[in-house]
Amino acid sequence: QVQLVESGGGLVQAGGSLRLSCEASGSIFSVNTMGWYRQAPGKQRELVADITRDGSTKYADSVKGRFTISRDNAKNTMYLQMSSLKAEDTGVYYCNTGGVYYQSSHSGRTYRPFDSWGQGTQVTVSS
């Protein structure tokens, strides 16, 4: 199938910056919209930002002007540059994407859809 691996989380002071990465790996045929979500303690998971294959972006109102999402289609990798971090940005950040993967056999390739989540990376902003 397809695995997503996030990296780049950590502890940072308010006003600081972090850059998250999410790499999709496996027998990937195509990747659609990629998104970053976060879950703060005691709260529901929420969309932070997403980006389509052609680069169109969408942001949560709470991060507009501070976060920038980008992707490298050749590497099946997505990034989230976070600046001017606030204590309320603290949480576990997850990446999500869907698309098509393939399985090879003696008779050829079989293509199937996928929707995958990463394991999450902790971001802690101290005030």
Side-chain angles (χ1 to χ4, degrees):
Q1 277 242 15
V2 177
Q3 297 79 39
L4 301 184
V5 178
E6 302 108 332
S7 61
L11 173 64
V12 63
Q13 288 189 331
S17 299
L18 281 175
R19 188 188 192 217
L20 306 183
S21 299
C22 171
E23 180 180 5
S25 63
S27 300
I28 298 171
F29 177 74
S30 65
V31 176
N32 300 330
T33 297
M34 304 182 79
W36 286 101
Y37 292 75
R38 69 184 178 193
Q39 188 165 20
K43 294 188 176 181
Q44 289 188 332
R45 190 173 299 188
E46 62 176 355
L47 176 68
V48 175
D50 65 26
I51 182 167
T52 65
R53 185 169 179 80
D54 65 4
S56 297
T57 59
K58 180 173 63 183
Y59 295 92
D61 288 342
S62 59
V63 307
K64 283 180 181 177
R66 300 188 297 121
F67 291 10
T68 302
I69 190 171
S70 61
R71 65 188 285 173
D72 183 334
N73 290 332
K75 297 180 180 179
N76 290 323
T77 300
M78 171 179 63
Y79 307 95
L80 186 68
Q81 178 65 47
M82 305 185 293
S83 302
S84 302
L85 283 162
K86 305 175 182 180
E88 51 263 44
D89 294 319
T90 294
V92 180
Y93 284 68
Y94 299 90
C95 64
N96 168 258
T97 189
V100 176
Y101 76 101
Y102 62 88
Q103 293 176 309
S104 298
S105 69
H106 64 280
S107 59
R109 284 186 174 181
T110 301
Y111 295 89
R112 302 182 190 281
F114 72 90
D115 188 291
S116 297
W117 288 86
Q119 81 288 351
T121 186
Q122 177 71 44
V123 171
T124 303
V125 184
S126 62
S127 56

